Amino acid sequence: VREGGGGMIHAKESYARLHGSRRGTSRSSGWIRWFLLAGLSTFFVVSLTLLSILQDVRVDVHPALKPKEGRSSESTMSGADEMPKTTTHSCSSNTDVLCGKDKIIDILKTSHIDIASIDNETWSKVPHWSQITALYGDKPRILGLETCSAFRESLAPSLRKIGPAGLFNTGTNLLSQLLQSNCKMPNKYSGIQWQVPWGKHAPPFFRDSNWTADGHERVVTEQVLPVVAIREPYEWMNSICHNNYVLRWPHRNRCPNLIHSNGTLVQVYNQYYHGKVRQYHDSLAHFWNDWNGQYTNTTSFPRLLLRHKDLVFFPKETTQLVCGCAGGEVVSDKDFTYVLAAAKGNRKGAKPFDGLVGNWIKYGVEFDLSVLNQKDVKLASNILDTTIMEPFGYHVRLPP
């Protein structure tokens, strides 16, 4: 017994009170368990009902955005298995913005770009593949492939090198990036050069001279296969008017400004080796002839010439031909790296695919001659060398 406030409480009474309290607690716990079980049951029933409803809801996803059967999204993003070379997109209607754009869709998917991140307005500007092949054909046009075996046979594999070259604004940076990322030469340290040793923007007139590009003083000229990018002359003249680099001629108010008002030609000069050397030409159109003609007409050394558009629309095929010519090996299709951003660097706020998609939009249509002075266009038709143009599918054009 214990002593309470007003007297003695027997052990029997205390025991009864104690166990009565425990029975009350037990009954309370039972009710709690019952409510928990009931709540869980209700949750599962509601969840199953919602799942059943969601299965019947049709999500309108563009067919090109849907994952392919039998391939998880994880394996697709990691490149675990090789993507097909060509994805045939089923055109759902005449207004389908992805219709006829299978090749660029494949390139973007291979590069792990979510094509849904590109808005419909942009997609509507991307040309159909049929439009591109109508302009440029369905494969690269490369001049000089017959000289490849002579180059390989003249050098041990470890000595062979590739060096990009070309006029300003012809895609030499894009060419360099494609080769450096995807062409594996026997000499992995120097097999892919940033440029030919006499300078990528210098004509081969300087190949056998004492002039060399910075950092290439010890490169043996004969060990380098020049790969020259060439651009359609009217389009190139317009481009060089906007960014003339070290090429000098009056053109502020007129492009390309080939002739003075008195009927004489507007002479241009280009500067090489930090302005130490100048070469003069009768006009901008003559400069295009003179520079490219030195490469197209030479038979004294192996070289390749390719179109600027081959780098834009046939990057993998072009890289394979160039790399194989020098005895290199191109990475597998799933490991091929496309240049998505602008080759010369993106503007602030640009998206990672802007360079590739922007080039397809820009160059997927024939160049508009109306942006050039029409008298100059007419004169250029008499100046431009068709023997240089024709192998690349270029032709003389007259004012509209």
Side-chain angles (χ1 to χ4, degrees), residues 346-360:
N346 265 330
R347 66 187 185 281
K348 184 178 181 180
K351 296 179 180 178
F353 51 77
D354 278 355
L356 175 73
V357 176
N359 282 341
W360 276 58

Side-chain angles (χ1 to χ4, degrees), residues 55-356:
Q55 286 177 348
D56 294 332
V57 175
R58 181 180 179 273
V59 180
D60 189 15
V61 179
H62 199 289
L65 306 182
K66 295 178 180 178
K68 300 185 178 183
E69 294 182 3
R71 297 181 63 181
S72 68
S73 58
E74 182 179 355
S75 65
T76 302
M77 291 300 293
S78 65
D81 44 358
E82 187 172 335
M83 292 191 67
K85 292 183 179 179
T86 303
T87 299
T88 302
H89 170 65
S90 177
C91 301
S92 58
S93 70
N94 292 334
T95 59
D96 186 350
V97 294
L98 298 184
C99 187
K101 300 166 187 179
D102 303 330
K103 181 158 185 174
I104 191 170
I105 289 173
D106 280 345
I107 290 174
L108 292 170
K109 285 185 175 181
T110 301
S111 304
H112 309 317
I113 296 295
D114 179 9
I115 64 174
S117 64
I118 305 174
D119 59 72
N120 283 353
E121 182 181 359
T122 300
W123 274 118
S124 66
K125 297 176 183 177
V126 176
H128 295 184
W129 185 242
S130 60
Q131 295 173 272
I132 293 169
T133 56
L135 288 173
Y136 309 116
D138 59 359
K139 59 184 178 181
R141 289 198 183 200
I142 300 181
L143 183 67
L145 289 172
E146 72 282 356
T147 68
C148 295
S149 58
F151 176 76
R152 293 193 301 268
E153 292 168 4
S154 66
L155 295 166
S158 61
L159 299 178
R160 301 171 191 157
K161 301 173 181 65
I162 298 175
L167 285 171
F168 308 115
N169 292 344
T170 57
T172 56
N173 285 351
L174 177 56
L175 173 60
S176 295
Q177 291 179 34
L178 285 169
L179 290 171
Q180 289 176 346
S181 299
N182 301 293
C183 179
K184 308 302 179 185
M185 294 292 289
N187 187 333
K188 63 181 180 180
Y189 299 106
S190 62
I192 304 298
Q193 298 283 302
W194 179 251
Q195 58 183 340
V196 292
W198 55 95
K200 64 179 181 178
H201 298 314
F205 169 83
F206 296 102
R207 181 176 182 268
D208 297 321
S209 72
N210 293 324
W211 293 101
T212 58
D214 293 342
H216 289 69
E217 293 81 4
R218 297 185 179 182
V219 179
V220 179
T221 297
E222 291 74 20
Q223 295 178 358
V224 180
L225 174 70
V227 180
V228 186
I230 188 170
R231 190 168 176 180
E232 197 270 346
Y234 300 97
E235 182 184 276
W236 176 80
M237 287 191 289
N238 180 63
S239 174
I240 210 69
C241 280
H242 293 288
N243 190 352
N244 59 295
Y245 296 87
V246 292
L247 190 61
R248 297 289 182 263
W249 85 108
H251 64 281
R252 179 172 297 180
N253 300 315
R254 176 174 168 175
C255 179
N257 197 20
L258 304 181
I259 189 170
H260 291 292
S261 58
N262 62 5
T264 60
L265 294 172
V266 178
Q267 192 177 63
V268 305
Y269 70 86
N270 198 25
Q271 304 173 79
Y272 304 100
Y273 311 110
H274 305 291
K276 296 176 182 177
V277 178
R278 287 185 180 181
Q279 285 192 338
Y280 289 81
H281 306 268
D282 290 338
S283 73
L284 190 63
H286 285 91
F287 175 56
W288 188 92
N289 286 343
D290 297 343
W291 200 100
N292 289 301
Q294 288 191 38
Y295 273 113
T296 57
N297 297 327
T298 187
T299 57
S300 60
F301 56 88
R303 84 284 183 257
L304 297 179
L305 288 99
L306 52 85
R307 300 177 300 180
H308 166 255
K309 302 305 185 299
D310 291 332
L311 301 172
V312 175
F313 297 114
F314 307 101
K316 182 167 66 176
E317 299 88 338
T318 301
T319 302
Q320 289 170 338
L321 289 170
V322 171
C323 186
C325 178
E329 183 178 351
V330 175
V331 298
S332 65
D333 286 352
K334 70 181 180 65
D335 293 326
F336 192 90
T337 300
Y338 293 92
V339 180
L340 302 180
K344 291 183 180 179
N346 265 330
R347 66 187 185 281
K348 184 178 181 180
K351 296 179 180 178
F353 51 77
D354 278 355
L356 175 73

Side-chain angles (χ1 to χ4, degrees), residues 37-56:
L37 289 172
L40 288 172
S41 300
T42 303
F43 172 77
F44 284 120
V45 170
V46 172
S47 299
L48 290 173
T49 302
L50 288 173
L51 287 173
S52 177
I53 293 172
L54 288 173
Q55 286 177 348
D56 294 332

